[in-house]
């Protein structure tokens, strides 16, 4: 008999049980479910809704259920549908009918919402930390390459020379926005839905503030209908995750390109590459490719949930069971990608000579020749035309700008003097961009310092919040009673 089966005259069809059950995936939240129940029953005792001796029995029973699950002594049953009913059934088997009083004043609707809030706020904390670790790895690598010059690209065509460290710091900037988005979304995750009941609250004189305080929530849902039907907090997480994965995918795309023989800018450590079953010489950047590939599933998880929610009437609907698998999958995908990319960046080697070679065999200093002419008094649009003709002549003669003699330069413009060679030198070109956001070494050092400070603030934020919300730190909630 189902725990809710009192008004039914026959058991559910086996196919219905299999189709509607969520225990195969929501069992992942068993710790959160037990913690929520511990807080709930403690509140029932504090408010006099249940006598304290029964409260203590239930708390002790929940602790025993927890220990049995940890020891692998129990099996979650499909017949009990979900993690909530499975744990309640285990509790009743452990302490008898009094275990059935645990559900007083709550519904599975607010219970499952609580579990997801508890689960997601902890996982988001870890993802923020892992993102910061990747930031640090990129920043450390950038600080090692403040003199390494590489081509900067637009349209995947060489555009202007930049420092390799400068290029890496662009990804640090992206990750900073990702971290800030997750921190902002975390505020709306850390809101208590428990106490909303099925949709309209409860007739029992519960104390939601007490539960919020026990579970370290910063706020409480004001409207109970909203509390049980809201999945915005998951959508925000999935949206932030999709952007984060987009940034990781762009980084991985460049790692794949840079590690090719055609570019040969970097070499990834053997520990993060694989080989070919037929071609002995191959060293494939599979990890980077797979991170790039898994980005699609994170996008899919976001659009899947948005589609589920778009036409739902208030309040709870069974459709909302589809909110969990995509959330779990996104958490797993991000954990894997971030955990692998950090040591990949730390251990990759950089071919400084190859990078420098490329910027001496192109026309990426052409803009600087135009700027040089501007400093000599020529309007930029005219300077642009002069340099364009000089580049065309060089292409026809199979040479580069710095290969031209002064006489050849002056054939294009008499304003060009002997100092042009210094102006077009690679180091000069890079360090001439000494403005905020520029690629000059001095500016990259400022960027590194600014983001190291930002990472320090992230570490402080994590320290201030993580000790309160990690599920293991809450497992003894209610014990003082």
């Amino acid at each position: 008999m189902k725990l809710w089966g009192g008004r039914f005259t026959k058991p559910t069809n086996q196919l219905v049980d299999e189709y509607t059950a969520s225990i195969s995936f929501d069992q992942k939240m068993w710790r959160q479910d037990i913690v929520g129940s511990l807080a709930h029953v403690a509140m029932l005792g504090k408010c006099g809704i249940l006598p304290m001796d029964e409260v203590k029995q239930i708390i002790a029973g929940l602790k025993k259920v927890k220990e049995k699950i940890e020891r692998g002594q129990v099996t979650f049953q499909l017949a009990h549908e979900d993690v909530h009913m499975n744990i309640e059934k285990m509790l009743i088997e452990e302490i008898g009918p009094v275990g059935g009083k645990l559900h007083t004043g709550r519904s599975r609707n607010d219970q499952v919402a609580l579990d997801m809030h508890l689960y997601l706020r902890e996982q988001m904390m870890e993802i923020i930390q892992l993102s910061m670790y990747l930031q640090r790895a990129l920043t450390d690598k950038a600080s090692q390459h403040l003199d390494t010059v590489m081509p900067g690209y637009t349209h995947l065509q060489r555009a202007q020379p930049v420092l390799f460290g400068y290029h890496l710091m662009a990804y640090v900037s992206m990750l900073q926005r990702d971290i800030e988005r997750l921190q902002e979304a975390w505020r709306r995750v850390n809101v208590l839905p428990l106490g909303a009941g099925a949709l309209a609250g409860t007739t029992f004189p519960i104390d939601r503030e007490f539960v919020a305080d026990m579970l370290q929530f910063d706020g409480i849902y004001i409207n109970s209908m909203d509390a049980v039907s809201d999945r915005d907090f998951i959508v925000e997480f999935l949206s932030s995750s999709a952007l984060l994965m987009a940034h990781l995918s762009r980084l991985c795309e460049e790692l794949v390109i840079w590690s090719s023989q055609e570019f040969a800018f970097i070499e990834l450590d053997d520990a993060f590459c694989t080989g070919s079953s037929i071609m002995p010489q191959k060293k494939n950047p599979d990890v980077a490719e797979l991170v790039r590939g898994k980005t699609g599933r994170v996008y899919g998880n976001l659009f899947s949930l948005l589609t589920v929610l778009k036409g739902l009437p208030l309040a709870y609907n069974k459709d909302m069971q589809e909110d969990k698998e995509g959330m779990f999958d996104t958490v797993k995908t991000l954990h894997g990608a971030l955990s692998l990319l950090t040591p990949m960046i730390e251990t990759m080697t950089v071919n400084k000579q190859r990078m420098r070679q490329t910027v001496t065999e192109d026309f990426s200093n052409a803009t600087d020749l135009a700027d040089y002419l501007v400093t000599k008094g020529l309007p930029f649009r005219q300077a642009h035309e002069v340099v364009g003709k000089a580049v065309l002549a060089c292409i026809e003669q199979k040479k580069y700008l710095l290969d031209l003699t002064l006489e050849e330069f002056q054939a294009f413009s008499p304003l060009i003097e002997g100092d042009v060679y210094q102006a077009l030198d690679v180091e000069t070109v890079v360090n001439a961009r000494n403005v905020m956001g520029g690629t000059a070494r001095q500016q990259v050092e400022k960027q590194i310092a600014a983001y190291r400070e930002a990472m320090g603030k992230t570490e402080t934020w994590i320290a201030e919040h993580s000790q309160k919300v990690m599920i293991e730190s809450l497992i003894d909630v209610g014990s003082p009673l």
Side-chain angles (χ1 to χ4, degrees):
M1 175 68 70
K2 305 285 188 185
L3 292 178
W4 44 259
R7 63 91 66 217
F8 288 80
T9 59
K10 61 173 66 174
T12 51
N13 185 288
Q14 176 65 22
L15 291 175
V16 172
D17 279 342
E18 293 173 0
Y19 191 71
T20 62
S22 60
I23 188 59
S24 63
F25 51 86
D26 70 12
Q27 63 181 271
K28 187 184 295 288
M29 300 188 297
W30 68 266
R31 290 181 184 276
Q32 287 77 17
D33 201 71
I34 289 176
V35 163
S37 291
L38 287 167
H40 179 67
V41 74
M43 179 274 295
L44 294 177
K46 179 256 183 188
C47 295
I49 298 170
L50 291 184
M52 289 306 299
D53 63 323
E54 292 181 344
V55 169
K56 291 177 180 178
Q57 286 183 62
I58 293 171
I59 289 175
L62 286 168
K63 296 288 183 68
K64 289 182 180 178
V65 170
K66 169 186 173 290
E67 291 168 2
K68 286 186 174 181
I69 296 174
E70 288 175 333
R71 291 197 296 263
Q73 294 177 335
V74 298
T75 302
F76 291 101
Q77 301 291 327
L78 177 72
H80 302 318
E81 303 174 34
D82 56 36
V83 66
H84 326 296
M85 302 301 279
N86 267 268
I87 288 176
E88 186 173 334
K89 186 71 173 177
M90 294 176 200
L91 177 66
I92 292 171
E93 290 173 353
E94 189 69 41
I95 65 174
V98 70
K101 294 188 176 184
L102 170 62
H103 209 54
T104 305
R106 74 175 182 184
S107 163
R108 277 190 294 178
N109 293 357
D110 59 344
Q111 188 179 359
V112 67
L114 172 65
D115 288 0
M116 289 189 293
H117 279 268
L118 288 169
Y119 171 83
L120 197 53
R121 73 176 185 179
E122 182 177 9
Q123 295 302 321
M124 287 175 70
M125 188 77 64
E126 293 186 15
I127 289 168
I128 288 169
Q129 188 168 49
L130 289 171
S131 299
M132 184 195 66
Y133 291 159
L134 179 56
Q135 264 193 319
R136 182 173 293 145
L138 287 164
T139 303
D140 289 345
K141 188 66 71 173
S143 67
Q144 297 165 17
H145 291 279
L146 291 171
D147 296 311
T148 302
V149 183
M150 68 173 291
Y153 294 84
T154 63
H155 308 277
L156 207 55
Q157 304 295 314
R158 294 183 197 173
Q160 294 176 334
V162 298
L163 293 179
F164 182 58
Y166 176 72
H167 195 121
L168 294 180
M169 290 307 295
Y171 286 104
V172 175
S173 298
M174 295 179 209
L175 286 166
Q176 184 61 33
R177 292 194 297 274
D178 293 323
I179 287 170
E180 290 171 2
R181 268 187 288 269
L182 287 165
Q183 287 174 318
E184 176 64 23
W186 192 90
R187 289 177 50 245
R188 284 176 287 280
V189 174
N190 201 34
V191 180
L192 176 76
L194 196 66
L199 77 163
T202 176
T203 58
F204 294 96
I206 62 173
D207 187 342
R208 299 182 70 196
E209 288 80 7
F210 178 78
V211 176
D213 184 62
M214 292 188 79
L215 295 178
Q216 300 293 327
F217 281 101
D218 294 327
I220 300 170
Y221 279 88
I222 294 174
N223 183 283
S224 290
M225 266 192 163
D226 182 44
V228 297
S229 62
D230 173 39
R231 295 299 183 268
D232 292 2
F233 67 102
I234 303 179
V235 171
E236 283 193 85
F237 164 68
L238 295 176
S239 176
S240 299
S241 298
L243 268 174
L244 173 53
M245 282 300 293
H247 295 152
L248 300 184
S249 182
R250 295 179 74 178
L251 173 60
C252 287
E253 171 73 5
E254 299 213 275
L255 294 177
V256 170
I257 292 173
W258 291 344
S259 62
S260 68
Q261 284 183 283
E262 286 70 22
F263 276 73
F265 286 175
I266 65 166
E267 182 175 0
L268 298 174
D269 190 88
D270 284 3
F272 298 97
C273 296
T274 63
S276 164
S277 63
I278 187 172
M279 295 170 282
Q281 84 281 8
K282 292 295 296 297
K283 180 177 177 179
N284 300 325
D286 280 8
V287 172
E289 291 173 343
L290 198 53
V291 170
R292 187 177 61 185
K294 285 179 179 289
T295 300
R297 69 193 297 154
V298 175
Y299 290 0
N301 292 335
L302 169 62
F303 282 102
S304 176
L305 183 55
L306 285 170
T307 304
V308 166
L309 296 174
K310 73 175 181 63
L312 292 185
L314 294 176
Y316 182 83
N317 298 271
K318 191 66 170 178
D319 315 49
M320 296 170 76
Q321 184 171 294
E322 290 295 300
D323 58 3
K324 298 172 194 65
E325 288 178 281
M327 176 181 72
F328 295 147
D329 180 70
T330 295
V331 166
K332 180 180 178 181
T333 301
L334 281 174
H335 269 272
L338 291 165
S339 297
L340 281 167
L341 281 174
T342 296
M344 271 182 61
I345 295 297
E346 290 172 340
T347 57
M348 78 176 182
T349 56
V350 179
N351 189 341
K352 299 173 64 172
Q353 292 73 28
R354 170 61 181 162
M355 287 184 176
R356 184 176 177 83
Q357 177 190 358
T358 58
V359 294
T360 58
E361 297 176 352
D362 62 17
F363 297 97
S364 58
N365 54 0
T367 302
D368 292 80
L369 179 55
D371 290 345
Y372 170 88
L373 288 170
V374 169
T375 65
K376 299 293 185 178
L378 194 66
F380 180 81
R381 194 47 59 199
Q382 293 179 35
H384 188 286
E385 183 179 0
V386 168
V387 176
K389 290 178 180 178
V391 168
L392 178 60
C394 284
I395 292 172
E396 291 171 345
Q397 298 172 40
K398 294 182 170 49
K399 59 174 64 174
Y400 301 104
L401 289 174
L402 283 174
D403 296 330
L404 296 175
T405 65
L406 182 57
E407 185 178 17
E408 287 174 318
F409 268 124
Q410 290 177 336
F412 295 105
S413 173
L415 296 173
I416 299 177
E417 300 175 328
D419 59 350
V420 70
Y421 296 100
Q422 178 62 32
L424 298 186
D425 179 74
V426 169
E427 274 71 26
T428 303
V429 169
V430 168
N431 287 303
R433 286 157 173 79
N434 192 16
V435 294
M436 181 179 290
T439 189
R441 178 184 176 124
Q442 184 178 350
Q443 294 300 321
V444 179
E445 288 173 338
K446 288 180 180 179
Q447 292 171 36
I448 289 172
Y451 283 111
R452 287 202 191 281
E453 182 179 353
M455 283 183 270
K457 291 179 180 178
T458 301
E459 282 187 306
T460 300
W461 186 88
I462 292 170
E464 290 174 348
H465 293 79
S466 62
Q467 291 182 351
K468 298 190 297 182
V469 304
M470 293 302 179
I471 203 66
E472 284 301 325
S473 69
L474 297 170
I475 207 71
D476 287 326
V477 68
S479 292
L481 296 174

